Structures are given as structure tokens and as C-alpha cells.
Amino acid sequence: MNPDVGHREIPFNYTSADDRQAIVWLLGETVWQKLEALRSRRVTGRSARLLLRVIGEVLVHRRNAYLYEQLVSDPARRRRFYRDLADDLGIIGAHSGGDALVVDVLSACRDLLAAFRREIAAVSYPHLQA
């Protein structure tokens, strides 16, 4: 794939960043290269769609202050958010066949989600204090 084309498959990416820029920003160049290798082997695309949804969710919640604040202020929404993304990553892992590239990308995505969870947990809003 030509990186100058500005390929976009990440849902919710309403930024000027193409997929490569968004993934490098969130996960690093190494993960982008692994995803490109996996893209060439794509069969149905189900796992790719799930993975890109996970990345898109983190991207949009990091870039949209309103959505970010909703995660911070609504524990039920936050639990659903983390559960749904963990479920998607679990489905991908279950269908990976232990492929080393998939395992590496999943690990990076799980690390991203864990870091995002810590980031959200560290936000203190006075109106949320009892």
C-alpha cells in the first residue's frame, strides 16, 4: 500500500490523520508495519474490522473532549467501553491461530487499552467527588 494515498479504514476517525498516522500515533511504527503485513494476508476482514474498531474507539475518545469526559464521569459507560473492546480483542485472539504478528498486535492493543484505562482513572473531576 502506498502510504501517500491516505488509506482510511479506522471507524470514527474524523481527524485529518489517515490510518497510518493514527496507528503510529497510538501504537508506533512497528505495529503499523505488522498491520501492513497482516493486511496482505487478509481473508474475510472480520478480525481487521474488529481491531480497527478498537483503535478507532480509543482514537475518538482521546481526540473528542466530550466523549472523553463521558468516560471519566460515567462508570457504567466506562465499564461497557472496556468490556466491549476487551471482547473484540478476545475474539481476534481466539481466531488468530497463534499467528505471531497477530499476537504482537493484540499485545500492543491491550497495552494501549490498559494505558488508556489508567489515564481515564487518573482524571479527577471535583464534581465527581462525594
Side-chain angles (χ1 to χ4, degrees):
M1 183 174 94
N2 181 349
D4 297 328
V5 172
H7 190 73
R8 294 174 77 98
E9 287 185 278
I10 297 174
F12 322 118
N13 182 4
Y14 303 116
T15 71
S16 61
D18 63 15
D19 286 0
R20 181 189 179 287
Q21 292 167 315
I23 290 168
V24 169
W25 179 64
L26 290 171
L27 297 163
E29 181 67 35
T30 302
V31 172
W32 171 255
Q33 291 170 2
K34 290 176 182 182
L35 285 170
E36 283 294 278
L38 289 168
R39 182 188 316 270
S40 68
R41 302 183 336 202
R42 192 181 295 178
V43 179
T44 65
R46 178 175 184 233
S47 290
R49 283 189 300 277
L50 289 173
L51 183 67
L52 293 171
R53 187 177 89 81
V54 168
I55 293 168
E57 287 284 358
V58 174
L59 178 67
V60 74
H61 282 83
R62 275 220 171 127
R63 301 281 305 199
N64 184 309
Y66 175 76
L67 294 176
Y68 189 93
E69 195 278 330
Q70 281 186 323
L71 279 183
V72 169
S73 65
D74 187 341
R77 181 182 175 97
R78 196 168 47 247
R79 281 190 300 275
R80 281 190 310 274
F81 176 83
Y82 297 132
R83 182 198 63 224
D84 291 349
L85 297 185
D87 288 351
D88 286 352
L89 294 175
I91 289 168
I92 297 165
H95 293 94
S96 72
D99 183 288
L101 284 177
V102 176
V103 170
D104 287 349
V105 169
L106 282 176
S107 177
C109 287
R110 287 185 175 115
D111 290 348
L112 172 68
L113 194 53
F116 189 58
R117 177 178 247 162
R118 288 189 302 274
E119 176 185 324
I120 294 293
V123 175
S124 175
Y125 277 76
H127 70 280
L128 298 176
Q129 312 264 327

